Amino acid sequence: MGAGFACLLALAAQSGPAAGRTIFAGKGGCLNCHSVENQGGSLGPDLSEVGVMRTPEALRAALLDPDAEIETEYLTISVVTKRGERVQGLKLNEDDFSIQLRDTSGNLRSFQKDGLETLGRELRSLMPSYAATLSTREIDDLVAYLRSLKGAVVRPGETMVRTRAIAPVSERVDWLTRPERDGEERPEAVLDALQIPAGATVADVGAGAGYFTWRLARRVGPRGKVIAVEVQQKMLDLIAEDLKTHNVTNAELVLGEERNPRLPEGRLDVVLLANAYHEFSDPEAMMAAIRRSLKPRGRVAVLEYRKEDTYSPVEGLHKMSLREVRSEMESMGFETEQVLRLLPRQHLLIFRSRP
């Protein structure tokens, strides 16, 4: 019995992220094309943060059928020169007269177009499928390793000095209720991505005029509950009217404080901070309270306008960069679960409490 248990431990040690890392660097040959933390090839995209950028399902699909979903910059370019040389690679630059590629060996190649017999753009990936070369278990291990690559901005135990200025609390009801907001912020797509189950208990902290509150209430259904938190009573009054308009009865309104959202401890499945976190006057106190409110596998979703965008409908203090969001949240005991790139002007990130 002791020997059998030891065997099981040995098998366990050979599976999961550690085994996946070995496959990534060895049998899979992934480092020939991809890099992780500045180690590896340059033909494919850097994978240092792929664990927060792609779901396990998307990673598995990419390994088994890399042609199914290809970003434009990774389409295969094939050229045949008038001397008969055939080259495949990824486009780096192109103008009317020339094209520059990185070939499959990672070399930079430049061609004058008048010296080419053919120039083709193919809807396929240079990445091979692993469906026939890796076992199901090896695919599982490789996915587990890729999911572990989250590129933490702040390591556990590190301190972070906040340099951004805290934005004042917005009182612009006209902005919160503007007709074009649905098209700009895609609220249903956001909630689809969060995959909130029926019966969940959810908090909408910094709920504003209730833009997400009634939508969340419909998602969780009659067995679920939404807690809308605001520090402005006039906003809670607007939410109350909006809930009546939408016939919502499973929402509770809470007048929060600047340092305390007044949430029940250990009860929440999801906390949504939609365009609100940047206004917290004391982020550490607020996020500590929110962390205490979460169930063991509870999540925090942060939605913020992108500071990286030059042109934006919001003022600078009401925007945050991806690095700012991650560094602040990670320094307060959260780990980045996923970065969702589905909105035209906003960052959407999902966090969990770090064990």
Side-chain angles (χ1 to χ4, degrees):
M1 185 172 179
F5 183 67
C7 182
L8 286 175
L9 288 177
L11 287 173
Q14 296 170 11
S15 63
R21 182 177 183 177
T22 300
I23 296 167
F24 185 88
K27 183 177 180 179
C30 308
L31 276 177
N32 294 332
C33 297
H34 299 280
S35 62
V36 174
E37 296 183 354
N38 300 317
Q39 299 293 320
S42 58
L43 181 63
D46 181 271
L47 300 181
S48 300
E49 298 182 352
V50 72
V52 299
M53 300 298 179
R54 305 291 292 274
T55 65
E57 295 77 17
L59 290 171
R60 187 179 305 277
L63 293 170
L64 298 176
D65 185 7
D67 295 340
E69 184 179 348
I70 314 171
E71 295 185 16
T72 304
E73 62 265 39
Y74 294 107
L75 294 177
T76 298
I77 303 296
S78 297
V79 301
V80 178
T81 68
K82 290 182 177 179
R83 295 180 178 180
E85 182 185 13
R86 298 176 180 273
V87 178
Q88 290 187 332
L90 302 178
K91 184 182 76 174
L92 299 177
N93 298 290
E94 182 179 10
D95 56 31
D96 292 341
F97 307 102
S98 65
I99 186 168
Q100 290 75 45
L101 308 177
R102 187 181 300 278
D103 68 18
T104 53
S105 297
N107 300 312
L108 301 180
R109 304 292 300 273
S110 182
F111 299 94
Q112 295 296 313
K113 290 184 176 179
D114 60 8
L116 297 178
E117 190 70 34
T118 62
L119 169 59
R121 307 168 200 277
E122 304 176 25
L123 293 175
R124 65 179 180 86
S125 172
L126 287 172
M127 176 178 163
S129 168
Y130 290 100
T133 56
L134 296 180
S135 68
T136 299
R137 178 172 174 175
E138 288 172 324
I139 292 291
D140 290 343
D141 291 340
L142 189 51
V143 169
Y145 170 64
L146 293 172
R147 280 289 290 166
S148 74
L149 299 177
K150 299 190 175 184
V153 177
V154 177
R155 304 291 181 183
E158 288 183 346
T159 58
M160 186 278 303
V161 178
R162 184 181 303 102
T163 57
R164 68 175 179 91
I166 302 294
V169 175
S170 177
E171 299 182 3
R172 290 189 55 190
V173 176
D174 61 325
W175 169 257
L176 297 174
T177 59
R178 65 194 187 279
E180 63 273 21
R181 186 173 179 181
D182 286 4
E184 293 175 351
E185 298 194 9
R186 301 178 60 193
E188 298 303 331
V190 169
L191 298 185
D192 285 345
L194 297 184
Q195 299 181 340
I196 300 172
T201 302
V202 179
D204 185 6
V205 178
Y211 182 71
F212 277 101
T213 305
W214 66 268
R215 292 178 168 89
L216 287 166
R218 288 186 175 177
R219 294 287 176 130
V220 302
R223 294 186 297 106
K225 181 180 180 180
V226 176
I227 303 173
V229 181
E230 254 298 334
V231 295
Q232 302 178 75
Q233 182 60 51
K234 68 177 183 179
M235 291 297 183
L236 291 178
D237 294 340
L238 289 173
I239 295 174
E241 290 300 318
D242 200 41
L243 295 179
K244 290 179 183 178
T245 300
H246 291 95
N247 297 314
V248 170
T249 59
N250 58 336
E252 175 186 348
L253 306 185
V254 173
L255 182 62
E257 302 168 359
E258 286 193 8
R259 304 180 73 253
N260 182 7
R262 299 176 61 198
L263 294 170
E265 294 194 9
R267 298 278 299 280
L268 298 179
D269 297 289
V270 178
V271 174
L272 175 63
L273 308 177
N275 308 309
Y277 173 80
H278 68 275
E279 295 182 355
F280 289 174
S281 61
D282 190 339
E284 287 79 9
M286 283 291 286
M287 294 313 303
I290 287 172
R291 188 178 182 187
R292 291 193 297 270
S293 76
L294 295 172
K295 292 179 180 179
R297 292 295 295 166
R299 297 172 293 155
V300 176
V302 178
L303 187 64
E304 290 287 352
Y305 271 87
R306 292 196 296 257
K307 184 181 285 188
E308 295 89 342
D309 291 353
T310 304
Y311 301 101
S312 175
V314 301
E315 298 175 356
L317 290 181
H318 292 274
K319 299 187 291 185
M320 293 185 69
S321 69
L322 182 62
R323 185 173 182 81
E324 284 175 334
V325 177
R326 289 196 64 181
S327 64
E328 293 191 23
M329 292 292 290
E330 290 174 10
S331 72
M332 293 183 287
F334 293 88
E335 62 181 17
T336 305
E337 177 79 9
Q338 196 171 5
V339 177
L340 295 162
R341 296 185 172 181
L342 53 87
L343 299 173
R345 292 176 171 173
Q346 293 163 289
H347 294 301
L348 175 58
L349 297 90
I350 299 175
F351 298 91
R352 294 188 192 271
S353 293
R354 186 180 293 120

